[in-house]
Amino acid sequence: MNELDLDGLLGAEDDEGPRRRSRGSRTSQSRSRRRQRRQRRKGYVAFLVAMVVIAGVLGVGGYYGYHWVRDVTIPKDYTGQGTGEVTVEIKDGQSAGEVAQTLVDRGVVASERAFVNAIDAAGKTAALQPGQYKMRRQMSAAAAVPLLDPKLRLQSTLTVREGLRLSQIYKQLAAATGRPEAEFRKAARDADALDLPSYAKGRLEGFAYPATYEIAPKAAPAEILAAMVDRYKKAADDTGLVAGARRLGLSPLEVLTIASIVQAESGNLRDMPKIARVIYNRLKKPMRLQMDSTTMYGLNKFGIRASLEETRSKSPFNTYGRDGLPPGPIGNPGQHAIEAALEPADGPWLYFVATDPKRGISKFTDSFEEHQRLIQEMNRNLGNGG
């Protein structure tokens, strides 16, 4: 009985134990779910806070990142046409990038990249030419590009006409540049700097080619004279001077000397080949040239007729008193005179006279008597009687 009661009691306890455990389990699960919900809420809040922080970081970084990218892809540039005035020099052989650096250094544009982009967009990269240009400070790169047009270079234009002597050319150059004549005379003595041909024998006369030149404000005398020599070389190549002289049995300097006399003595282009023929005929005879132009050059005088006293000068350029050609050119001939010296006209003439100098008319003859009559005609036209 006791055992049965005991078993019953034990059984009763066993019956209630599961129920107690079931209620305890549900309570524990409920608490667990509440903890999980709290943890999820905390995690969600933490996620939201993190997202806000990340968004803020990205926002700040994006702002600065945008400006960084913008600064890299869109270079610094001024706006407008700029102010003031500044002179900028583009040197020979400079690239667009090097020109851009010069403009930045001079305060013209804000950045090299802005200028390079602007000149590329305008298709003007290949148009950059050496020289000096007038610009403005702090101008947009796009506004700076048109001011580098070669037509706007700061320079003076000088036209040297055919037949001028060096002494006359020096005066022109001094007037055009504001430099003393003495600087040009000094520069003319440096044959190596001027790159004179070897047959010039170190003398510039005859090699300062007559043409139109553009002279930059800061051009040195040696640069200007060297440009004239360079232009002479082109004319010599165009006319075949060296080969032509060889064909005539003369040196290039002798042909150029003849060309200078032709230039000085002629009143028009059509007479040049005939005057050249007179010179060749006299040299061949032999007969003194007796050219007034050479005699006056030796005396550093100007005029179309030498006086009797002048024809007695001891100058090596006095072809009345000396045989053959003078020692070098008496001026700076142009292409037509050089061509005439290389290709003289055919004819027997030994004399010519500028019978009407004002109209540029000369007459030719192989007779001394006729020559005397032509001199009388010239004197009448000049008002000197007969």
Side-chain angles (χ1 to χ4, degrees):
M1 181 69 176
N2 288 337
E3 287 179 2
L4 290 174
D5 290 339
L6 182 59
D7 290 338
L9 290 171
L10 290 173
E13 285 178 6
D14 288 341
D15 287 342
E16 287 190 14
R19 284 196 293 273
R20 289 194 193 97
R21 285 196 298 271
S22 176
R23 284 194 299 272
S25 176
R26 285 195 296 271
T27 301
S28 177
Q29 290 174 358
S30 176
R31 283 196 294 270
S32 177
R33 283 195 294 271
R34 284 195 297 273
R35 281 196 302 271
Q36 289 175 357
R37 283 196 296 271
R38 283 194 299 271
Q39 289 173 352
R40 282 198 296 271
R41 281 195 297 272
K42 290 178 181 179
Y44 180 67
V45 171
F47 173 76
L48 288 178
V49 171
M51 290 303 295
V52 170
V53 171
I54 291 172
V57 171
L58 289 176
V60 173
Y63 172 81
Y64 289 107
Y66 164 76
H67 284 280
W68 180 82
V69 171
R70 186 192 66 178
D71 289 342
V72 171
T73 58
I74 304 176
K76 292 180 180 179
D77 197 3
Y78 297 126
T79 59
Q81 299 297 315
T83 59
E85 187 177 289
V86 59
T87 299
V88 173
E89 181 178 8
I90 297 178
K91 297 180 180 178
D92 189 26
Q94 279 192 316
S95 66
E98 290 169 328
V99 173
Q101 180 61 60
T102 299
L103 295 177
V104 171
D105 293 343
R106 300 288 289 162
V108 176
V109 299
S111 67
E112 296 175 46
R113 177 54 54 188
F115 176 77
V116 171
N117 288 349
I119 200 165
D120 283 346
K124 298 289 187 179
T125 301
L128 290 173
Q129 297 293 322
Q132 293 183 322
Y133 299 83
K134 191 175 293 184
M135 312 288 287
R136 291 184 290 274
R137 289 185 173 85
Q138 297 188 355
M139 60 191 312
S140 73
V145 171
L147 296 186
L148 294 175
D149 188 320
K151 295 179 182 178
L152 299 178
R153 282 181 293 185
L154 298 175
Q155 55 195 4
S156 57
T157 300
L158 175 66
T159 298
V160 178
R161 63 177 177 82
E162 293 87 345
L164 290 183
R165 299 176 187 176
L166 271 178
S167 59
Q168 295 171 296
I169 293 174
Y170 293 148
K171 292 183 184 298
Q172 277 195 295
L173 292 173
T177 63
R179 293 175 177 270
E181 288 182 43
E183 291 188 13
F184 291 96
R185 294 181 185 276
K186 180 180 179 180
R189 293 194 290 268
D190 192 342
D192 291 336
L194 302 184
D195 197 22
L196 281 167
S198 59
Y199 57 82
K201 299 181 179 179
R203 190 167 178 262
L204 180 58
E205 189 79 88
F207 299 89
Y209 193 76
T212 298
Y213 296 93
E214 293 180 346
I215 302 175
K218 292 185 178 180
E223 291 180 81
I224 299 170
L225 296 179
M228 301 180 81
V229 173
D230 189 61
R231 183 64 185 81
Y232 160 78
K233 290 179 180 178
K234 182 180 184 306
D237 288 341
D238 291 344
T239 57
L241 174 61
V242 174
R246 190 181 304 116
R247 185 183 68 250
L248 292 167
L250 300 172
S251 71
L253 183 61
E254 288 174 324
V255 171
L256 191 63
T257 300
I258 292 171
S260 71
I261 299 172
V262 169
Q263 186 77 69
E265 294 281 353
S266 63
N268 54 64
L269 297 181
R270 68 177 179 273
D271 285 342
M272 286 185 172
K274 297 173 74 174
I275 293 174
R277 175 50 64 191
V278 170
I279 295 172
Y280 283 112
N281 286 346
R282 289 195 174 196
L283 291 173
K284 184 178 179 180
K285 199 163 180 69
M287 177 181 175
R288 287 183 176 174
L289 293 183
Q290 296 183 328
M291 296 288 174
D292 297 294
S293 58
T294 65
T295 302
M296 300 300 277
Y297 177 85
L299 295 169
N300 196 27
K301 294 181 179 181
F302 294 90
I304 62 173
R305 295 292 291 174
S307 68
L308 181 60
E309 182 182 354
E310 288 167 339
T311 62
R312 293 171 178 168
S313 76
K314 301 300 182 181
S315 165
F317 288 88
N318 179 14
T319 54
Y320 280 94
R322 294 175 178 266
D323 296 334
L325 289 168
I330 62 169
N332 296 274
Q335 183 168 331
H336 292 293
I338 295 173
E339 290 172 343
L342 291 170
E343 298 288 345
D346 291 328
W349 315 291
L350 291 172
Y351 308 94
F352 69 93
V353 178
T355 54
D356 192 344
K358 293 180 181 179
R359 296 168 60 192
I361 296 175
S362 294
K363 293 184 179 181
F364 297 78
T365 182
D366 60 350
S367 165
F368 179 75
E369 290 75 16
E370 179 64 18
H371 173 244
Q372 295 303 311
R373 286 194 292 271
L374 293 177
I375 291 177
Q376 291 175 359
E377 182 180 345
M378 177 191 69
N379 288 333
R380 288 193 299 270
N381 288 328
L382 290 175
N384 296 330

